[in-house]
Amino acid sequence: MTNTSPTILACVDGSGYMPSVCAHAAWAARRLQAAVHVLHVQAPHSAHAVPADYSGAIGLGERSALREKLAQIDEARGKLDQQHGKLILEQAKAQLMGAGITAIETLHRRGALVDTLAELEAAAELIVLGKRGEHAEVARQHLGSNLERVVRAAQTPVLVCSRAVTDIERLVIAYDGGASAVKAVDYVARMPLLQGVECHLLTIGPENAQTGRMLKQATTTLNQRGVTVQAQIKPGHPETAITAYIEANAINLLVMGAYGHSRVRNLVIGSTTSLMLQACRIPVLLFRP
């Protein structure tokens, strides 16, 4: 990676979200004129090792033979995982090339996704991943286990993909005036990723002088960069009010801050956030403060 060429980090696995991750990574690469680095992180051998208790009636010779057999199984499993990872990367690369992306690099690593991203994200403009991995896919009520770790650790914006792929024509920024929300507004205002996308600005809470000033400041920031904004204040609970707004206005992308103490900021990772991400059928672009 170089600092002169923007990079999109697309995290792929064998889940049904991979086509969406690749499609959105290709969309971002075209808009940012960036290369795509496709990352597959393979679990370490220890994550697959068969736990064993060699105590009890098993004799010394039997224990030694069993250890050797388990080591062979673990080695074979590791080789299969390696082949599986290569196939995943080949499939992702083929999809990206089919979308017109030529600057592609595949990265096959072993370890933990969050640790690997910590090494790579400094040179990246955007991290793209699905909201569930291949092992969480069957449990619709659960988000992927890596999602929370990545969002909590990443300083780079994270685009969490839903399964469906749609053209991003309208976005809504969930805005509460906090540091992460301000960062999201600034990104929408200045970065080419979202230029030309119809922009909505939504604050959940009572309509008063404070929320009015807050919304006006964000609107001014966007307007100064040539972004036309539809700004509104809506009452209610964030998880229901934002979802209703998305559906009523055919929004294709939710943009929001990842951390904070207010109810809107707590939508990202936490009990309210989990409910929101589970219910949300569009991509969510997340920002740390």
Side-chain angles (χ1 to χ4, degrees):
M1 292 187 189
T2 66
N3 293 327
T4 58
S5 177
T7 300
I8 308 297
L9 268 175
C11 306
V12 297
D13 57 15
S15 76
Y17 288 83
M18 189 175 79
S20 179
V21 168
C22 292
H24 287 100
W27 164 78
R30 288 192 294 268
R31 285 189 157 255
L32 294 173
Q33 297 183 349
V36 178
H37 288 201
V38 188
L39 173 65
H40 175 70
V41 179
Q42 182 179 331
H45 282 308
S46 59
H48 298 298
V50 180
D53 180 3
Y54 301 117
S55 62
I58 301 178
L60 181 61
E62 287 83 354
R63 287 201 298 269
S64 178
L66 180 56
R67 287 193 187 99
E68 183 178 350
K69 184 64 174 178
L70 289 172
Q72 292 172 355
I73 292 172
D74 191 45
E75 181 181 0
R77 185 182 287 115
K79 289 180 180 179
L80 286 174
D81 286 344
Q82 187 79 7
Q83 293 174 3
H84 179 58
K86 288 180 179 179
L87 289 174
I88 288 172
L89 289 171
E90 288 173 4
Q91 183 179 349
K93 184 175 181 179
Q95 183 178 341
L96 288 164
M97 291 179 68
I101 306 302
T102 56
I104 305 168
E105 181 178 340
T106 57
L107 305 172
H108 196 174
R109 300 293 180 86
R110 183 185 297 278
L113 176 61
V114 66
D115 294 334
T116 304
L117 287 175
E119 299 173 8
L120 300 176
E121 70 161 320
E125 294 288 338
L126 184 69
I127 296 170
V128 186
L129 77 166
K131 66 177 173 179
R132 295 185 183 91
E134 57 186 319
H135 300 299
E137 196 174 17
V138 295
R140 300 300 182 192
Q141 72 274 24
H142 297 301
L143 297 171
S145 60
N146 277 317
L147 176 58
E148 179 174 351
R149 298 188 187 101
V150 169
V151 173
R152 286 189 180 277
Q155 295 301 316
T156 303
V158 178
L159 179 62
V160 181
C161 297
S162 56
R163 186 185 289 267
V165 179
T166 57
D167 293 334
I168 296 179
E169 299 174 343
R170 287 170 294 279
L171 67 86
V172 62
I173 305 171
Y175 188 74
D176 67 350
S180 56
V182 170
K183 188 174 181 179
V185 167
D186 181 65
Y187 186 94
V188 173
R190 66 182 176 82
M191 292 296 289
L193 179 67
L194 297 169
Q195 284 182 359
V197 177
E198 182 181 307
C199 182
H200 296 238
L201 190 63
L202 179 65
T203 291
I204 307 301
E207 189 167 353
N208 52 37
Q210 180 181 356
T211 54
R213 284 194 301 270
M214 186 173 67
L215 209 59
K216 184 177 180 180
Q217 289 174 349
T219 300
T220 299
T221 298
L222 291 160
N223 289 163
Q224 287 175 343
R225 292 281 187 162
V227 180
T228 302
V229 184
Q230 299 182 38
Q232 294 192 45
I233 300 171
K234 295 285 187 181
H237 298 286
E239 61 271 24
T240 53
I242 294 174
T243 301
Y245 190 91
I246 287 170
E247 293 176 354
N249 293 276
I251 299 295
N252 310 120
L253 176 69
L254 171 61
V255 181
M256 59 193 307
Y259 286 98
H261 300 290
S262 75
R263 296 182 66 203
V264 171
R265 279 182 284 172
N266 282 337
L267 279 173
V268 183
I269 308 309
S271 58
T272 307
T273 298
S274 297
L275 290 172
M276 185 69 189
L277 290 176
Q278 287 165 14
C280 196
R281 302 195 180 196
I282 61 173
V284 183
L285 182 59
L286 307 177
F287 293 84
R288 286 284 307 278

